[in-house]
Amino acid sequence: MPTFRARRTATSLGTAALAAMLLLTACSSGSSGGSADAADGKVTLTVDLFGTFGFKETGLYDEYTKTHPNITVKQSDTQDEGQYWQALQTKLAGGGGLADVQGLEVGRIASVMQKQADKFVDLKTVGAGAVNDGLVPWKAAAVKSADGKVLAAGTDIGPEAICYRTDLFKAAGLPTDRTELAAKWSSWEGYLALGKEYVAKAQPGTATDGNKWTDSAAGMFTAEVGQQKVRYADESGKPVYDSNPAVKSAWSDSAKLVADGLSAKLPQWTPEWNKAFSTGKFATLSCPAWMIGYIKGQAGDAFAGKWDIAAGPGKTGNWGGSYLAIPKTSKHQREAAELISWLTAKEQQVKLFTKQGSFPSSTAAQGEIKALQDPYFNNAPIGQIFSESAGAMPAQVLGTEDGVIGKAFTDALGEVERTGTAPDAAWQHAMDNIKKASGN
């Protein structure tokens, strides 16, 4: 990930020098971080995340603590990022209950930088100022303040594709070859057309009985909007969510998905959605790279080889991606900085993509994974597919209310799906909720 290639430290200091520095920091009065939990130097670092970052699942914490025996890492996580964000806002406002390391989703980062920068540690002050060197430029730029502070370490990005069930495609008489499918759904119009064909060919008493084309309109909308440079705010920061033709087109396509009976109407991140990965409620899924690990976890070993991956409509897009930040309330800022520098280094980014599907934001790591295939997904060339998607993606303009606006749109599409609300009425509900939540 970063161009400094330290595997274990956030600086270019040698091991002995770093140990001496940490000891001095811990013993200095008025230190802003690096204090020990006990006289023996043992430190417990708390990490609070959302979704599945993969650090615990791929054994990175265990690997780190083997070379840092004085460190214990305790992670807490919340699957739903919206719930996580609300809890984080409460903690930041009250000043209590924050972890040493907090995860931040890319859709929230502009809000943090403009409204809550004073709540997080400048990584340059704790020996990790170079942590984002070597990332794709927009990833690093998003967390660098106008006065040069570095407020978070970049983890993954979310290049998009389509994940699909080969067994269900076969049962419906559709092709399963990923190259052929990528050509058929090279546009969202093509994706919807093939979905209508799939649903029409679904047969009672077969694996396709009652099955739908995709999980939800929200998933499709998020993926389509994620292909745009300008989404909810323009380069000046002016809100354009209500007038941007790209947003309106994504809304129209998603409403058509529902009208044509192609959506399984499953709210993402719910128990019902999770269960559907193994019960066959949908045949395709808008699939950012990090979804690979999620599918494996929910569908399990029994579905290995039944899933595949193809380039999606437009062959590009970015959905998600995250950062790691250190709240100023942390008592172990230097140890936390060393941990996040190691977790986001090139070597660990390669491991996370290989084992979990988290696509690297490090350009050097991207160069190492281009030939990677995934046996679970029929040996799909995931390195190539997601690298090409990432390479074609323009640097997105991030607005302060992106997270709020995106949720308002996907909630409104949920109304269309599950309560039969007319798309025009649901759009107006989204407008009202955005204005109420953001004031814009």
Side-chain angles (χ1 to χ4, degrees):
M1 177 185 193
T3 54
F4 73 99
R5 290 295 176 238
R7 291 172 180 267
R8 292 178 51 190
T9 72
T11 75
S12 59
L13 294 174
T15 304
L18 179 66
M21 180 185 72
L22 290 177
L23 179 60
L24 178 62
T25 304
C27 294
S28 298
S29 60
S31 167
S32 64
S35 60
D37 285 354
D40 60 2
K42 299 290 186 181
V43 170
T44 297
L45 293 176
T46 54
V47 180
D48 190 20
L49 306 174
F50 55 89
T52 304
F53 277 58
F55 302 143
K56 179 171 59 178
E57 292 80 0
T58 58
L60 290 187
Y61 292 143
D62 292 338
E63 186 177 344
Y64 185 79
T65 55
K66 283 180 181 178
T67 57
H68 296 71
N70 64 312
I71 301 292
T72 299
V73 181
K74 292 187 177 180
Q75 177 183 304
S76 57
D77 48 69
T78 304
Q79 278 303 320
D80 188 303
E81 190 276 338
Q83 294 177 8
Y84 170 88
W85 176 250
Q86 289 302 317
L88 178 61
Q89 296 311 294
T90 300
K91 293 172 185 177
L92 287 169
L98 291 161
D100 295 300
V101 176
Q102 294 282 166
L104 299 172
E105 204 269 340
V106 66
R108 311 289 188 179
I109 207 65
S111 178
V112 169
M113 293 298 293
Q114 295 186 37
K115 299 178 180 181
Q116 298 174 319
D118 62 326
K119 303 290 187 181
F120 294 96
V121 173
D122 176 8
L123 299 181
K124 292 168 66 176
T125 67
V126 286
V131 69
N132 293 327
D133 290 359
L135 303 193
V136 292
W138 63 265
K139 184 77 171 180
V143 289
K144 188 172 183 178
S145 66
D147 58 356
K149 293 184 176 67
V150 178
L151 296 182
T155 60
D156 63 324
I157 58 178
E160 297 173 4
I162 296 290
C163 293
Y164 62 99
R165 285 276 299 273
T166 56
D167 57 330
L168 296 179
F169 274 43
K170 288 177 182 176
L174 295 186
T176 60
D177 177 76
R178 62 181 73 97
T179 301
E180 184 177 354
L181 289 170
K184 283 182 175 292
W185 60 45
S186 60
S187 65
W188 289 106
E189 182 180 9
Y191 178 75
L192 290 171
L194 193 61
K196 290 181 69 174
E197 185 178 344
Y198 174 83
V199 170
K201 289 183 175 180
Q203 296 295 322
T206 72
T208 60
D209 190 1
N211 189 266
K212 298 298 183 180
W213 182 233
T214 193
D215 64 330
S216 65
M220 179 174 165
F221 176 85
T222 303
E224 187 169 347
V225 169
Q227 296 179 326
Q228 308 304 317
K229 177 180 180 180
V230 174
R231 300 178 297 172
Y232 305 136
D234 65 16
E235 289 89 341
S236 70
K238 176 186 175 182
V240 295
Y241 62 86
D242 56 347
S243 59
N244 187 348
V247 174
K248 290 186 174 182
S249 178
W251 176 271
S252 177
D253 288 343
S254 302
K256 190 173 189 304
L257 177 88
V258 180
D260 288 343
L262 308 185
S263 172
K265 304 179 181 180
L266 292 168
Q268 294 185 326
W269 319 117
T270 61
E272 295 78 14
W273 184 70
N274 290 338
K275 185 178 180 181
F277 283 96
S278 57
T279 57
K281 294 293 185 181
F282 51 84
T284 72
L285 186 69
S286 295
C287 199
W290 48 261
M291 191 71 79
I292 291 176
Y294 200 87
I295 290 173
K296 292 177 182 177
Q298 296 301 323
D301 293 342
F303 285 81
K306 294 182 179 180
W307 284 93
D308 208 323
I309 305 173
K315 296 185 178 180
T316 191
N318 188 79
W319 177 350
S322 305
Y323 294 87
L324 299 175
I326 303 171
K328 286 186 176 178
T329 55
S330 169
K331 297 179 180 179
H332 313 296
Q333 293 174 17
R334 286 192 178 271
E335 291 92 340
E338 186 179 358
L339 173 64
I340 67 174
S341 296
W342 186 87
L343 288 172
T344 57
K346 179 197 76 171
E347 295 82 1
Q348 279 59 257
Q349 290 208 21
V350 170
K351 293 172 188 174
L352 283 165
F353 184 65
T354 302
K355 297 180 180 180
Q356 190 74 18
S358 300
F359 192 82
S361 56
S362 160
T363 56
Q366 289 177 11
E368 293 190 11
I369 54 84
K370 286 186 177 179
L372 188 67
Q373 298 180 335
D374 195 322
Y376 190 94
F377 290 87
N378 279 318
N379 290 317
I382 58 172
Q384 175 188 343
I385 290 171
F386 289 115
S387 291
E388 291 178 354
S389 175
M393 183 62 212
Q396 292 177 325
V397 176
L398 300 176
T400 59
E401 305 299 330
D402 278 10
V404 170
I405 295 169
K407 185 176 187 303
F409 277 124
T410 55
D411 284 351
L413 284 168
E415 291 184 51
V416 176
E417 288 179 316
R418 293 182 289 279
T419 66
T421 303
D424 287 348
W427 173 274
Q428 188 56 53
H429 292 168
M431 298 300 102
D432 295 342
N433 289 334
I434 292 168
K435 288 180 172 63
K436 185 185 303 182
S438 68
N440 293 324

